[in-house]
Amino acid sequence: MNKQILDKYGLRFTKKVSMWKIEDIPTGPDLIVSYLLALSKSEIEGWLLPEIASVLNNLKEEGEVDTAPVWAEFNKTRTILRNAWNNDNAIVIPTKDFEGIIISWSQFLRRWL
């Protein structure tokens, strides 16, 4: 996990274990947390990370991934995360940071599954 990137955005990943279930709990900015919670490990590894890599490696100019309730649009330098129902609520982060967050979340999920 990339602790520097997670700290930069105030993100924390924890497990909540109860008698009946185990939950993955990310905490941090609402749009980032909502985006992470909408993704499965297979979605991250199967199409999101390859999509980000193809943009960062200049194979594509831009990419977008719509996971209700958050929509992500990215190019080589920046990623915009917005609420799918309210375009006024958006954040912009560097795409390399976005990739680092997604990789860290994937590693966290892999460690516990």
Side-chain angles (χ1 to χ4, degrees):
M1 269 192 250
N2 189 327
K3 185 170 172 20
Q4 282 184 312
I5 289 177
L6 297 180
D7 287 347
K8 180 178 178 179
Y9 295 98
L11 289 164
R12 299 282 178 266
F13 301 154
T14 58
K15 281 287 184 190
K16 179 181 176 185
V17 180
S18 69
M19 184 181 276
W20 306 109
K21 64 183 173 180
I22 298 174
E23 296 177 90
D24 303 313
I25 311 289
T27 56
D30 289 345
L31 283 172
I32 296 174
V33 168
S34 295
Y35 193 80
L36 295 176
L37 288 173
L39 295 167
S40 70
K41 184 172 121 333
S42 62
E43 290 171 324
I44 292 169
E45 294 173 359
W47 54 267
L48 180 56
L49 286 175
E51 182 78 2
I52 295 168
S54 68
V55 170
L56 289 173
N57 292 318
N58 295 318
L59 300 174
K60 293 176 72 173
E61 283 189 37
E62 59 185 34
E64 64 181 58
V65 180
D66 182 8
T67 58
V70 179
W71 175 72
E73 175 185 333
F74 47 92
N75 62 30
K76 189 172 176 97
T77 59
R78 70 182 181 141
T79 296
I80 302 170
L81 296 168
R82 15 176 148 250
N83 184 306
W85 300 284
N86 177 4
N87 281 337
D88 294 337
N89 187 10
I91 60 171
V92 178
I93 63 175
T95 299
K96 282 301 276 180
D97 287 1
F98 179 61
E99 179 187 45
I101 291 167
I102 299 301
I103 288 170
S104 295
W105 181 241
S106 177
Q107 290 169 343
F108 177 79
L109 293 175
R110 196 175 320 125
R111 187 172 40 178
W112 290 91
L113 295 178

